[in-house]
Amino acid sequence: MQEQITGLFTKELYRNERNSYTMFILESIKGKEIIKTVCTGKIQRIDYNTPVILTGQINVDEKERQGFCFSDYELKEDNIQESVCLLTSFKITGFGKEKALKTAEWFNYGIFNAVEDCKTTQAFEDRCPDDVKKYAKQIYTRVKRILTERELTKEIFSVGDNYPAVTMISKKYGEKALDVLRRNPYKTGFYAGLTFYECEQLAKRYKIPAFSCERADGILLFAVDDNKKNGNAFITIEELRKYVDTLQQKTHLHTPFDVVLATAVLNDGYVIEDNDKIYLKTVYTMEKSLAMNIMRIKNAAKQINEIDWQAVNDIENNEQIQFSASQRESFKALASEGIKLITGGPGTGKTTLINSLIKYLKEKYPDAGITMCAPTGRAAQNLAGKTKCVAETIHKTLGLKPFSTDDLRVTKKMEDYIYIVDECSMLNLKLADIFFKSLPNHCIVLLVGDKDQLPCIDAGNVFCDLLHSNIEKYILSGVHRQNNDSLISINAELINAGEIALKNGVDFDIMRVSDEETAIQLCMMYTQDKDLQVLTPLSKSATGSKALSEKIQSVKTFQSGAIKVYGDTTYHIGDKVILLNNNYEADYFNGDIGTITKINEDYITILSDDIYDFDTGAKKEIEVENSNLHDVALSYAITIHKSQGGEYDEVVIVLTKSAFRMANRNLLYTAVTRAKRKVTIITQDDLLEQAILQKSSRRNSNLCNLLI
C-alpha cells in the first residue's frame, strides 16, 4: 500500500550519480518533535533543507531498521517551518529568518506553487511583499532551477536512467532547459550523452514527425559522431546512406535520405569534400591545419651535418651494445631538421635507439634543448624510466588548459630544438594538430611508435597516415627485448602475420573455456594471490573491465580501515584504481593508474604506479575529491585500449563471445605486447583464432593525401 511522508532533505548518505539512486535522511517536523527517516529512491540532486513529499512504502531491513522506499516525489512545503528552511537554505545576503518567515506566511507556505504559477521573474516580484521584492529574482531563480530539474529528470528518466544528462542540460540552459529539450530532443540529447534511440523516444513523446528537419539533423549528427568515435575523420555518402537505411529498419520511421544529405549541405557545421566525404567542420579544420603545419616544418628543414659514425661506434662500445643494421641506419634521421618517423614492433630496440640518439645529440649539440613526451602519463613515465631523462605528457609539455568545453589552449612556448615523441600510434588528430601547430619552423621531430598497435581513440590515424606519406621514415627489425626463445615475441609476430598456430610454453599459456562464467571464475582464481594485470576488449559486459575488476576485488584481502562508497563501488585502502578523465586543475589524466593509500571524508589519495617526480624519484600522489569520484574506477582489469603505453610483468587476456565484434588482430597484438615476462590468454572456444584472422579496417582519413 502506497503512503506519503513529508519533510526536509537534510543529509545525503549515498548517491549513484549515474541513475540518481540516493539514500538520505528526511526530517519531519511534527510540532516540537523531529522525526528522522532513512529514505531510498531516485531523486534529483537538491540542497539540504529542501522540502519534499515522498510516495512509497515503509520497509524493514534484516536488522529490523525501519526506512522508507519511495517511487515518486514532489517538491512542496507542508508547513511554515519547511518554507522557512527552504528560503534560508538559499543563503541570500540580507535575507535572514525574519524575512524568510514573512515570505513564507505571505505565500501561505507555497513558495514552489507561487514560482510555478509565475511565468517570469517580474510576475513573481510583483506578487512579493514590498520589503522582499529586491530578493525576488534570487528566490525565483533558485526555486525555478529546482523545479526545472525536477521536470527534466522526469523527461530523461522516461527513456533511460541518465542523471548526468539531466545535470548537463540543466547547467547549460537553466530555466529554458525543458523548452530546449522539447524543441529539439535529438540535438539537445546528443550533447547531453543520450543515445539516438533515447532521443527518438523523446521525439515521439513531443510528436516530432519523422520527416522533420530536427530528425534529419539528428540522424546526421549521430551518424557523423559514431563514425568519428570509430576513428574516422569523415563519413562517405555511401556509408551515410547505409547508416540511414539501418536506422529506418530499426525504428520503422522513414526520413528521406535526400533530406539528411541536404542538412549536411546547408548546415555550416559540416564540410563536404570531393562531393563524397562528409566532415564535421571542426575535424576538417584540424586535418587541414595538421597537414599545413607538418608541411611547414618539412619545407623549412635544413641539412645539418653528415653523421659522425665514429661517435656512433663510441656509443656502441661505451654502452656495450651492438646496433642492428636498421638501428644504425636510423642515425641518419639526425642529419637534417624536420619530421622523422621511427617504427618497429616490441623488442626491436626502439628504446635502445632513443637512448643512443639522445647521447649522440647531447654530444654533438650540447646547447640544443631536448623535449621528450608521449600521449599518456603512463607512456611518458615509461619513456622517462628507460631513458633516465625528463619525459611528460604532450598535454603537460604544451601546458594545455581548458579554454571552453571543447577547446584547449597552449600556455607554454615550444622553444627547444629537438622533440622526441613516443607511442605515436596513440596520437589522435586533435592532439597532433595542437602539438605540430606549436612547434617552431626549425627543429628535429622524432616520432616513435609501433604501427601494428591499436590506433588512437577518437578521430584520426596520424602515425599510420604519416608512415604512408613521403615523410622520412626508419623501420626497425629484429627482436632484442626478450630472449630469442621468448614465446611472447614469437607469438606477437605470428599474430601480426595472421597466423593462428600460436605456441604454448612457460611464458605463454592459452586456456580454453566453453562459457563466460568459467572464464570469470578462472580469472578470479588466477588473480587472487597475484599482482598482475587483466586485459579485456570491453569496459561493459560480464567480462568487461568493470565487472571483472569487481569480481577480482571480491577475492582480495584488505586491511581494516576506512572505506569510500561511490555509486555501486566500495573502495578500500590498497585497491588498484584507474583515472578515467583529464583533470587539469587536480593534475591527473585519463589512464593514470595507482593504489589507494588514504581515504578521507572529503577525498581519496592515490599513489601512482608509474608517474614519478623526476628530481626526487618519489611516486606521485593524486588527491581526488568526492565531487570527482566519477573519474575513478577499479583497475584490476582494464581495457586493452587503456593499457596502451604501459608494460606489465604479467598479463591475463580475457576473450569471450561478448567481445566478438571488437576482437581483432591489432587488439590482440597490442594486449600481448604489453607483457614483459608472461602472457595468459583465457579464450572462449575459438575466439582467439577468429580475432587473429580479423584484420582492422582502415580508417577514413585524408591526411596522407594532403601531405604532398
Side-chain angles (χ1 to χ4, degrees):
M1 185 176 167
Q2 296 281 291
E3 298 184 38
Q4 280 192 341
I5 61 170
T6 303
L8 300 173
F9 184 106
T10 57
K11 188 177 181 180
E12 186 178 283
L13 304 174
Y14 163 83
R15 182 173 178 87
N16 185 323
E17 284 296 344
R18 177 68 191 174
N19 61 17
S20 79
Y21 181 85
T22 308
M23 179 183 290
F24 61 92
I25 302 288
L26 187 82
E27 288 191 3
S28 302
I29 306 168
K30 305 293 183 185
K32 294 183 179 181
E33 188 181 2
I34 297 177
I35 301 169
K36 296 183 179 181
T37 308
V38 177
C39 303
T40 54
K42 294 178 181 179
I43 192 170
Q44 69 190 84
R45 182 169 286 288
I46 52 178
D47 296 330
Y48 287 169
N49 289 325
T50 299
V52 293
I53 299 175
L54 306 177
T55 302
Q57 293 180 320
I58 295 171
N59 67 315
V60 181
D61 66 14
E62 65 277 2
K63 295 183 179 180
E64 297 186 355
R65 294 174 297 195
Q66 185 171 294
F68 192 81
C69 182
F70 64 92
S71 56
D72 196 13
Y73 69 96
E74 287 182 69
L75 300 168
K76 193 176 179 182
E77 317 101 298
D78 194 49
N79 51 53
I80 278 288
Q81 293 100 317
E82 289 175 359
S83 273
V84 172
C85 284
L86 171 70
L87 290 166
T88 53
S89 73
F90 297 158
K91 296 178 180 174
I92 299 171
T93 303
F95 188 86
K97 273 193 175 181
E98 186 178 332
K99 284 189 173 63
L101 179 60
K102 184 175 182 177
T103 306
E105 289 174 338
W106 181 268
F107 288 107
N108 193 28
Y109 54 91
I111 306 298
F112 280 118
N113 286 339
V115 169
E116 210 163 12
D117 290 342
C118 296
K119 302 300 181 185
T120 65
T121 306
Q122 188 60 53
F124 180 73
E125 185 179 328
D126 292 342
R127 288 186 62 180
C128 289
D130 291 342
D131 56 346
V132 177
K133 288 185 185 295
K134 68 177 184 178
Y135 308 106
K137 184 178 180 180
Q138 294 179 75
I139 296 170
Y140 181 88
T141 301
R142 290 294 299 272
V143 174
K144 190 71 175 176
R145 190 193 72 195
I146 296 171
L147 291 170
T148 298
E149 191 161 311
R150 161 65 175 150
E151 291 306 306
L152 198 61
T153 303
K154 282 184 178 180
E155 299 285 285
I156 299 296
F157 275 50
S158 70
V159 299
D161 291 357
N162 190 337
Y163 192 73
V166 175
T167 306
M168 195 174 296
I169 297 171
S170 177
K171 188 176 179 180
K172 186 173 182 177
Y173 299 108
E175 61 184 68
K176 297 179 181 177
L178 271 171
D179 291 335
V180 172
L181 179 67
R182 289 166 179 168
R183 197 161 51 246
N184 193 335
Y186 295 102
K187 190 173 183 178
T188 311
F190 170 82
Y191 289 113
L194 299 183
T195 68
F196 178 84
Y197 299 102
E198 288 171 337
C199 296
E200 188 88 296
Q201 291 179 62
L202 288 172
K204 287 180 181 177
R205 173 183 285 213
Y206 307 147
K207 299 188 177 350
I208 296 174
F211 51 83
S212 67
C213 293
E214 289 81 7
R215 189 171 194 265
D217 186 41
I219 290 172
L220 181 63
L221 194 60
F222 277 93
V224 174
D225 187 69
D226 285 351
N227 203 56
K228 178 173 171 283
K229 286 176 180 174
N230 290 329
N232 298 296
F234 59 83
I235 187 171
T236 66
I237 288 178
E238 187 56 35
E239 288 167 342
L240 178 61
R241 190 186 297 276
K242 289 178 180 177
Y243 187 95
V244 173
D245 288 344
T246 302
L247 275 185
Q248 318 286 36
Q249 292 169 15
K250 287 183 177 179
T251 62
H252 305 293
L253 293 173
H254 180 70
T255 301
F257 176 73
D258 289 346
V259 176
V260 177
L261 189 58
T263 302
V265 174
L266 297 172
N267 192 321
D268 62 5
Y270 302 94
V271 173
I272 300 180
E273 186 84 341
D274 301 329
N275 296 317
D276 182 50
K277 306 177 182 73
I278 303 174
Y279 283 88
L280 279 172
K281 190 174 183 177
T282 52
V283 176
Y284 177 82
T285 305
M286 283 189 285
E287 191 176 73
K288 286 280 191 182
S289 170
L290 174 58
M292 182 186 71
N293 282 292
I294 289 173
M295 294 305 295
R296 168 179 61 82
I297 296 167
K298 181 184 177 184
N299 294 334
K302 296 178 180 178
Q303 192 72 21
I304 305 174
N305 289 304
E306 290 295 321
I307 297 300
D308 184 347
W309 293 109
Q310 185 54 53
V312 175
N313 293 337
D314 291 344
I315 293 171
E316 205 172 27
N317 293 329
N318 293 337
E319 299 299 319
Q320 297 184 336
I321 54 179
Q322 184 174 354
F323 294 130
S324 66
S326 58
Q327 286 176 315
R328 182 172 287 271
E329 181 74 8
S330 299
F331 277 86
K332 292 180 180 179
L334 306 181
S336 61
E337 296 173 340
I339 300 165
K340 320 294 172 70
L341 311 173
I342 298 173
T343 186
T348 54
K350 294 192 295 292
T351 301
T352 299
L353 177 63
I354 291 173
N355 274 319
S356 302
L357 292 174
I358 292 170
K359 287 179 173 64
Y360 181 94
L361 288 163
K362 285 183 175 180
E363 182 181 331
K364 294 296 177 182
Y365 312 101
D367 297 327
I370 300 176
T371 288
M372 300 182 62
C373 55
T376 66
R378 187 180 309 149
Q381 186 56 45
N382 280 339
L383 182 63
K386 290 173 180 177
T387 61
K388 310 303 179 191
C389 298
V390 175
E392 299 177 324
T393 63
I394 295 174
H395 289 78
K396 197 165 184 178
T397 298
L398 296 170
L400 287 180
K401 300 289 183 184
F403 182 71
S404 67
T405 306
D406 301 310
D407 297 323
L408 296 169
R409 56 189 169 95
V410 176
T411 62
K412 292 183 181 178
K413 191 172 180 179
M414 307 294 276
E415 297 179 320
D416 283 343
Y417 185 58
I418 299 155
Y419 298 88
I420 300 173
V421 189
D422 199 15
E423 296 289 351
C424 285
S425 64
M426 303 167 68
L427 199 58
N428 64 37
L429 193 58
K430 184 175 184 177
L431 188 58
D433 176 40
I434 297 172
F435 179 71
F436 282 99
K437 194 182 291 179
S438 304
L439 296 181
N441 282 342
H442 297 285
C443 60
I444 298 172
V445 186
L446 302 180
L447 303 179
V448 186
D450 183 350
K451 63 181 176 60
D452 296 313
Q453 286 191 31
L454 286 170
C456 63
I457 296 173
D458 209 15
N461 197 7
V462 176
F463 192 60
C464 189
D465 285 338
L466 292 177
L467 285 168
H468 283 89
S469 74
N470 58 3
I471 299 290
E472 190 176 329
K473 61 187 71 69
Y474 300 89
I475 301 171
L476 302 181
S477 57
V479 177
H480 306 279
R481 181 194 288 175
Q482 292 109 347
N483 297 328
N484 288 333
D485 60 350
S486 166
L487 292 180
I488 298 175
S489 53
I490 292 171
N491 284 331
E493 289 185 8
L494 289 171
I495 291 167
N496 205 24
E499 299 288 340
I500 63 173
L502 303 187
K503 302 179 185 299
N504 264 20
V506 176
D507 62 349
F508 203 101
D509 192 14
I510 299 172
M511 301 180 178
R512 297 187 186 275
V513 297
S514 58
D515 57 82
E516 283 194 329
E517 186 55 38
T518 305
I520 293 167
Q521 293 300 320
L522 195 59
C523 185
M524 291 168 64
M525 182 181 69
Y526 200 79
T527 57
Q528 184 173 0
D529 301 316
K530 289 186 177 181
D531 185 18
L532 49 77
Q533 187 61 61
V534 176
L535 304 179
T536 179
L538 299 171
S539 59
K540 298 176 182 178
S541 80
T543 54
S545 57
K546 185 178 186 300
L548 280 179
S549 285
E550 290 171 352
K551 291 286 187 181
I552 295 168
Q553 185 199 46
S554 70
V555 297
K556 296 288 185 182
T557 302
F558 301 98
Q559 295 181 352
S560 59
I563 62 170
K564 178 79 69 175
V565 178
Y566 184 80
D568 52 1
T569 304
T570 300
Y571 295 104
H572 309 78
I573 293 174
D575 263 326
K576 290 178 63 177
V577 293
I578 185 170
L579 292 154
L580 304 174
N581 293 297
N582 296 328
N583 187 317
Y584 300 90
E585 292 181 1
D587 195 30
Y588 61 78
F589 297 91
N590 187 358
D592 289 351
I593 282 183
T595 302
I596 296 176
T597 56
K598 186 186 297 181
I599 294 178
N600 188 284
E601 185 178 345
D602 300 317
Y603 62 87
I604 62 172
T605 301
I606 301 168
L607 186 66
S608 176
D609 282 357
D610 45 26
I611 302 177
Y612 297 80
D613 183 291
F614 192 79
D615 295 322
T616 65
K619 290 186 176 181
K620 178 183 177 181
E621 283 193 337
I622 301 167
E623 286 188 355
V624 182
E625 297 178 352
N626 290 350
S627 59
N628 291 324
L629 283 177
H630 56 273
D631 288 343
V632 180
L634 295 172
S635 67
Y636 297 105
I638 61 174
T639 64
I640 297 169
H641 278 92
K642 290 284 188 188
S643 75
Q644 277 194 274
E647 288 184 349
Y648 313 92
D649 283 339
E650 186 174 350
V651 301
V652 174
I653 303 166
V654 181
L655 292 174
T656 62
K657 289 296 176 69
S658 58
F660 174 77
R661 293 180 180 275
M662 277 198 67
N664 59 52
R665 191 181 304 172
N666 291 88
L667 190 85
L668 185 60
Y669 173 84
T670 301
V672 166
T673 56
R674 298 309 90 208
K676 292 188 285 187
R677 295 183 183 174
K678 186 174 181 181
V679 171
T680 301
I681 299 178
I682 301 172
T683 178
Q684 185 176 353
D685 301 327
D686 61 349
L687 187 59
L688 172 62
E689 286 75 20
Q690 292 180 49
I692 294 171
L693 294 172
Q694 184 64 43
K695 196 172 182 179
S696 299
S697 57
R698 181 133 178 145
R699 294 182 168 188
N700 290 344
S701 169
N702 201 39
L703 180 62
C704 188
N705 296 326
L706 296 172
L707 299 174
I708 301 173

